[in-house]
Amino acid sequence: MIVGAVAGVTAAAFAAFSLFAAARRPSDRASALAWRWLAAGSATWLVGIAVRPLADGTPFVVTFADLVLLAGTAMLAVGTGLCAVRQARGQALLRDLADAYVCAASLFVIGWVSLFGPAYRDAGDAGTFAVTLASPLLCLVLACAVGPAVVPARRSAWPVGLAALAVLAAVTASETVTALARLTGDEPPLGQVWLAPAAFLLLAAVAWSDRTTRPDISGEDRDGAAGDAMAEAVAEPGEQQEAESSAAEGETEELVGQTASSLLSAAPLVLVVVAAVVVLLRVLGGGVQGPVPVLALVSVSVVVVLVLRLFVVLMETGRMRRLVDLGERQLHDLAESTGDVVLVCDYEGVVREIGEGVETTYGYRPEDIVGRRIFDYIHPEDVPAIQVAMRAMSLDEEPAENAGTCMVACRVRASDGTWRPTESVATRRVRGEELLLVTTRDVSDQEALRNQVAHLTFHDGVTGLPNRAYFEERTREVLARPGAGAAAVVFLDLDGFTAVNDSVGHASGDYLLGQAARRLRAAVRADDTLARWGGDEFAVLLEGATDAQTAVDLAERLVRTVSSEPFRVADRDVALTASVGVAFADEDVSSADLIRNADVAMARAKELGGRRVEVFAAHMHTDVVRRLELAADLQRALLENQFAIEYQPVVDLATSRVTAVEALVRWWRGSAFVPPELFLGPAEDTGLIVPLSEWILREACREVASWHASSWKIGLSLNLSARQIMAPRFVESVESALSESGLPPSALTLEVIEEMLVEDAEETVNRLSELRELGVRLAIDDFGTGYASLALLRQLPVDMIKIDPSFVSGLGRDETLTLLTRTIVRLGHDLGLIVVAEGIERQEQLELLREMGCTRGQGFLVARPMAARGVDSLMHTDMPSMPSGV
């Protein structure tokens, strides 16, 4: 007895200390609280077991030590119960209590028949027997009460809970043996001495296991943690094995928990059967020892509890059945309220039930559908796929992943004969027989919306024609076919369309584009693809252009179609022409290159004046690339100061004295000279002409101002471009260049060509008038070659006109050109303007100009363009007498 007490005290003390220390480690407060109760129960139990040897000498049946042991056992039971996932409430609590009572009563019956009956006979005193047996019975009741809640638990405190339950079982067994020893007066067996200490040592060890330090994961938290573990496994490949191990452990715990729950559900019935068998065997073997009414009372109570338990189960089953029926009705009503059709059919497609929504959606009465096969109403092309899906869901086949639910899309025939696109969800339903629950939704509106979105995605909203994306995709498809070499692409641009938007607005411009699209659609062949490329550009894909002439004929027909008659827009007639480019497919030409080639040919037709057809040639693309490269080199040349200025003298033809110089820009790209006619056009197109002209203006003004400072009063002439005049701060830039250089405004003459006065006459005249107000002189360059009205000479304060070299070149050789030149000179004199002849290269030209009265001239005969140093040598020096060949 003393050895058992010492072992029990030592083991319980160790368990109490271990649990108190480990209570600081759990990740949740519930586990810490459970361990503190277990530690307190262990400490209380060790006090009781320590004083029991002293209390056993007293004359009392139940000693103070027994009460302390019972208190410790109760604390252990509370701590064990706190290790459960959640405490039971309501019907669950009643169910657990009933199961606990049945288990305790069954074990009592088994113990009575095998142990307590003979002891009762030997004890003689029923009161002493009952009091002695009270302690183990209370321990048994506590163990049975907390067992159902702890065994199926799957949380961090689960190992501790199982160990604590083992302690309760060991304490119950130990107290039972001790009670029997007291009743019989024998010494307890040696194995009983170590039973409770061993359980306490197990509890102390389990408290420090790795399993108890993990966070609790259950339900949705378990799913979330699994998702996090998956994410970490992806982000940290080295932790993938650990994540897989955790997942496998979680699955194992889930299986163990389910098994434990099943065993606990069956435990009360198993114990009742065992108890009944034990009683029957004892009765058949010679009767039962002890008072039979006790066994009868216990047995009757067990039966009553079982009946009540069965009644509760039946009530729960009925409630669950009503909930299932209610859920099905709610699901049915919900589906009907959303416009879905709900039906139940077998795997042969025979309809067993169908909702009333079928009449609203498809026009069929439910009674007409029931008993018929769903395949009678499904489009024949969709039937095979649906049959395959139904076979995959059949319970007769091996179930695949997600085989319980299937989503299908098919066309269903309505009562009016139309085919309605539908989306259906089929769910396997087992209720006495194998059936399918199908929810079908009419998606006609969604399908129409998708078609509309697809149409808008690949069609132009203004003209209704296919758009650029559709045209590119169609071209790729055609070129991918065998024999695609017969294809061709035609690009068309409406000449002058920008003026329509500027004059009558973009809405009217869109209306005109719609008219143009209808004309072009009528002109192309039925199998040709006509698309709006963007802006005022259209594209045509010819899929069967067997020869080049077919495409060219179509292109010319499109030009005639556009210009055949004016377009009626905003109550006015608008006449437009078209520039058309044609490109033919080749084996090594991609769709993008073919479209690009047609675009390049169209741009070439536009450069040549429009209203014409151009067929793509390889040099066109080369020219475009060269112009792009040249534009990039121009920008680099501006930054690296690769430009230089040369000056061509303008002389008085009567005295040969230099009166002015014309500034001309020169570009040396490395060591190569780039002629002005090659880069001035690209500079104008890209807008680089504006900064380039501003640089020329500043440099030339500075140079001529230095000559003025040396008392050589000569003028400076500069050519203006259209972009330069329309630049936002053009007038300010001229005024700034004059003020910075100190050149008098009257010494600067700015030249414009006649075409610039015609294209945007009002704005150009206003800008030039502002310059004239600064004191700057104005000149019309290449006079006689443009389309300017003579009225502009009166509106614009011009100081000078310069005769185009094409007139001067014919002097003495062409009577008409000589007469026109004489007329221009006389016109200039009559208007009081200075007349300058350009391109004087022969002595005969010089003599005729002098005879006509032309006062000034320039050209190779007079002086070639030269650098500023060359002009310095002419300072205060008259030109030679114009010998031939200069």
Side-chain angles (χ1 to χ4, degrees):
M1 192 71 177
I2 300 298
V3 174
V6 172
V9 168
T10 304
F14 183 66
F17 174 79
S18 177
L19 288 168
F20 271 124
R24 301 180 180 180
R25 293 201 311 158
S27 58
D28 60 304
R29 297 175 58 184
S31 297
L33 180 61
W35 292 359
R36 291 191 183 97
W37 273 97
L38 291 174
S42 300
T44 304
W45 191 87
L46 74 88
V47 173
I49 201 67
V51 300
R52 171 171 277 184
L54 301 176
D56 283 346
T58 62
F60 301 105
V61 178
V62 177
T63 65
F64 171 76
D66 295 333
L67 297 179
V68 174
L69 285 173
L70 286 177
T73 304
M75 291 182 182
L76 289 173
V78 173
T80 305
L82 292 176
C83 292
V85 177
R86 62 180 62 88
Q87 278 65 46
R89 294 181 177 86
Q91 291 185 355
L93 178 60
L94 294 177
R95 181 182 64 248
D96 291 347
L97 292 177
D99 291 344
Y101 178 80
V102 170
C103 292
S106 300
L107 290 173
F108 173 77
V109 170
I110 295 172
W112 181 273
V113 172
S114 59
L115 299 174
F116 302 138
Y120 176 80
R121 181 193 58 193
D122 297 337
D125 187 358
T128 302
F129 179 84
V131 172
T132 304
L133 203 60
S135 177
L137 288 179
L138 288 176
C139 293
L140 176 64
V141 171
L142 290 175
C144 292
V146 298
V150 175
V151 173
R154 296 180 300 279
R155 55 179 290 182
S156 60
W158 186 33
V160 176
L162 293 179
L165 188 61
V167 170
L168 288 175
V171 169
T172 301
S174 178
E175 290 298 303
T176 301
V177 173
T178 301
L180 288 174
R182 287 180 177 178
L183 291 174
T184 59
D186 300 330
E187 287 291 330
L190 184 61
Q192 176 267 342
V193 174
W194 300 103
L195 185 61
F200 275 108
L201 290 177
L202 175 64
L203 177 61
V206 170
W208 292 93
S209 66
D210 293 337
R211 175 65 174 82
T212 60
T213 61
R214 299 179 188 174
D216 292 336
I217 300 177
S218 61
E220 297 178 356
D221 295 336
R222 183 182 301 273
D223 297 335
D228 294 340
M230 292 178 61
E232 291 179 2
V234 174
E236 302 284 346
E239 299 180 1
Q240 183 173 1
Q241 185 175 1
E242 181 180 352
E244 293 176 355
S245 177
S246 299
E249 184 177 348
E251 293 177 359
T252 302
E253 293 179 0
E254 187 76 20
L255 179 61
V256 171
Q258 293 176 357
T259 304
S261 299
S262 300
L263 292 176
L264 282 175
S265 300
L269 296 178
V270 171
L271 289 175
V272 169
V273 171
V274 172
V277 171
V278 170
V279 172
L280 180 62
L281 292 177
R282 179 53 60 92
V283 171
L284 295 178
V288 179
Q289 301 293 332
V292 175
V294 174
L295 289 179
L297 180 62
V298 173
S299 301
V300 170
S301 67
V302 169
V303 172
V304 170
V305 171
L306 286 178
V307 170
L308 292 176
R309 180 76 169 84
L310 178 61
F311 178 73
V312 172
V313 170
L314 292 176
M315 289 184 62
E316 290 182 353
T317 303
R319 184 174 63 86
M320 294 300 298
R321 182 179 294 107
R322 289 193 297 273
L323 289 177
V324 171
D325 294 339
L326 178 61
E328 289 187 354
R329 288 197 303 272
Q330 290 177 343
L331 178 62
H332 184 276
D333 294 341
L334 178 62
E336 293 289 347
S337 65
T338 59
D340 296 347
V341 177
V342 181
L343 61 93
V344 177
C345 67
D346 57 22
Y347 287 94
E348 298 299 324
V350 178
V351 179
R352 301 293 183 85
E353 301 176 30
I354 192 167
E356 297 179 357
V358 68
E359 185 171 3
T360 303
T361 306
Y362 297 103
Y364 298 110
R365 292 185 300 175
E367 55 269 22
D368 295 337
I369 302 294
V370 174
R372 301 189 61 177
R373 303 176 73 225
I374 59 175
F375 305 121
D376 297 339
Y377 303 92
I378 298 176
H379 196 282
E381 296 178 358
D382 301 332
V383 170
I386 295 179
Q387 290 176 335
V388 170
M390 293 177 68
R391 282 196 300 270
M393 296 181 64
S394 175
L395 292 177
D396 296 336
E397 298 185 1
E398 185 68 22
E401 185 178 0
N402 297 329
T405 302
C406 179
M407 297 185 64
V408 294
C410 63
R411 290 161 289 179
V412 174
R413 187 182 70 247
S415 60
D416 58 1
T418 60
W419 293 102
R420 308 276 186 87
T422 63
E423 293 179 354
S424 303
V425 178
T427 305
R428 193 164 56 192
R429 179 189 182 194
V430 180
R431 203 174 193 186
E433 58 180 328
E434 301 170 5
L435 299 173
L436 288 176
L437 176 64
V438 182
T439 303
T440 300
R441 174 171 297 180
D442 185 356
V443 294
S444 299
D445 294 339
Q446 294 90 321
E447 188 71 18
L449 181 60
R450 281 196 292 267
N451 294 335
Q452 183 180 3
V453 171
H455 179 83
L456 294 176
T457 302
F458 293 103
H459 286 76
D460 175 55
V462 174
T463 63
L465 297 175
N467 59 12
R468 176 174 180 172
Y470 180 90
F471 189 84
E472 290 176 337
E473 181 64 26
R474 183 61 180 169
T475 304
R476 281 193 292 269
E477 292 177 357
V478 170
L479 293 187
R481 298 174 184 171
V489 171
V490 177
F491 250 58
L492 181 145
D493 180 87
L494 298 178
D495 301 327
F497 178 76
T498 303
V500 177
N501 282 336
D502 295 340
S503 58
V504 296
H506 287 273
S508 298
D510 291 345
Y511 181 69
L512 188 148
L513 289 174
Q515 295 183 55
R518 289 190 290 273
R519 290 191 190 183
L520 296 175
R521 188 186 291 111
V524 300
R525 302 176 305 178
D527 55 350
D528 294 337
T529 301
L530 172 65
R532 184 190 177 195
W533 185 255
D536 58 349
E537 295 181 355
F538 297 85
V540 183
L541 174 63
L542 287 80
E543 302 182 23
T546 55
D547 55 10
Q549 192 59 43
T550 302
V552 174
D553 291 344
L554 173 63
E556 292 177 346
R557 185 163 65 250
L558 295 178
V559 173
R560 292 192 301 270
T561 298
V562 172
S563 58
S564 60
E565 58 178 320
F567 294 91
R568 188 68 178 174
V569 179
D571 296 330
R572 68 181 70 180
D573 291 333
V574 177
L576 295 179
T577 59
S579 299
V580 180
V582 182
F584 297 96
D586 200 353
E587 293 182 358
D588 56 349
V589 175
S590 65
S591 60
D593 290 341
L594 178 61
I595 294 172
R596 180 206 62 198
N597 294 344
D599 193 10
V600 169
M602 182 269 293
R604 178 61 177 168
K606 205 168 187 66
E607 289 177 1
L608 296 177
R611 197 174 182 176
R612 59 184 296 145
V613 176
E614 285 290 323
V615 179
F616 174 79
H619 69 83
M620 292 183 181
H621 180 248
T622 304
D623 291 343
V624 171
V625 174
R626 185 184 299 114
R627 288 172 71 89
L628 290 175
E629 294 175 349
L630 189 61
D633 292 343
L634 274 172
Q635 192 164 18
R636 191 180 304 110
L638 273 173
L639 298 175
E640 298 176 359
N641 296 322
Q642 296 179 8
F643 293 102
I645 300 177
E646 291 186 349
Y647 302 90
Q648 185 173 29
V650 179
V651 302
D652 188 322
L653 297 183
T655 63
S656 298
R657 183 175 62 85
V658 177
T659 61
V661 291
E662 181 177 359
L664 304 173
V665 65
R666 298 292 183 259
W667 180 20
W668 290 88
R669 185 164 52 177
S671 58
F673 173 73
V674 183
E677 59 270 17
L678 293 183
F679 69 83
L680 288 180
E684 179 79 17
D685 295 338
T686 59
L688 291 174
I689 193 67
V690 175
L692 177 59
S693 299
E694 291 181 357
W695 176 82
I696 297 171
L697 176 63
R698 289 194 305 271
E699 290 296 315
C701 287
R702 183 183 57 80
E703 192 68 46
V704 174
S706 66
W707 294 333
H708 275 247
S710 301
S711 302
W712 191 28
K713 309 298 183 182
I714 64 171
L716 170 64
S717 295
L718 286 172
N719 290 290
L720 296 178
S721 68
R723 278 184 177 267
Q724 186 181 10
I725 294 176
M726 295 303 169
R729 297 182 56 83
F730 166 62
V731 177
E732 289 83 352
S733 65
V734 175
E735 185 177 7
S736 175
L738 290 173
S739 62
E740 290 176 1
S741 63
L743 183 68
S746 59
L748 177 62
T749 302
L750 298 178
E751 304 175 5
V752 295
I753 59 176
E754 289 185 80
E755 286 83 352
M756 293 167 54
L757 300 176
V758 175
E759 291 178 357
D760 199 351
E762 183 177 356
E763 184 65 23
T764 302
V765 169
N766 291 337
R767 292 290 183 94
L768 296 178
S769 298
E770 293 180 24
L771 291 175
R772 193 67 181 82
E773 293 175 359
L774 294 176
V776 177
R777 295 188 175 188
L778 302 177
I780 297 180
D781 195 15
D782 299 336
F783 187 80
T785 60
Y787 308 96
S789 170
L790 292 178
L792 287 175
L793 296 177
R794 180 174 55 85
Q795 298 175 9
L796 186 65
V798 177
D799 300 280
M800 181 186 303
I801 57 176
K802 302 183 73 172
I803 305 175
D804 189 74
S806 62
F807 292 97
V808 176
S809 65
L811 292 178
R813 297 179 179 177
D814 189 308
E815 294 183 359
T816 302
L817 292 178
T818 301
L819 178 60
L820 289 174
T821 304
R822 188 182 301 276
T823 302
I824 293 173
V825 172
R826 184 180 297 114
L827 176 63
H829 288 168
D830 293 342
L831 295 176
L833 304 177
I834 299 174
V835 180
V836 180
E838 296 183 291
I840 302 175
E841 298 180 353
R842 292 182 287 110
Q843 187 68 28
E844 181 183 8
Q845 297 169 341
L846 178 60
E847 295 300 332
L848 285 173
L849 289 170
R850 284 175 174 171
E851 184 269 329
M852 293 176 185
C854 183
T855 56
R856 298 182 185 181
Q858 64 184 102
F860 284 177
L861 179 66
V862 176
R864 292 177 177 272
M866 60 189 71
R869 292 189 303 272
V871 178
D872 289 338
S873 64
L874 299 178
M875 191 178 300
H876 303 301
T877 303
D878 292 339
M879 294 293 294
S881 57
M882 318 298 180
S884 141
V886 177

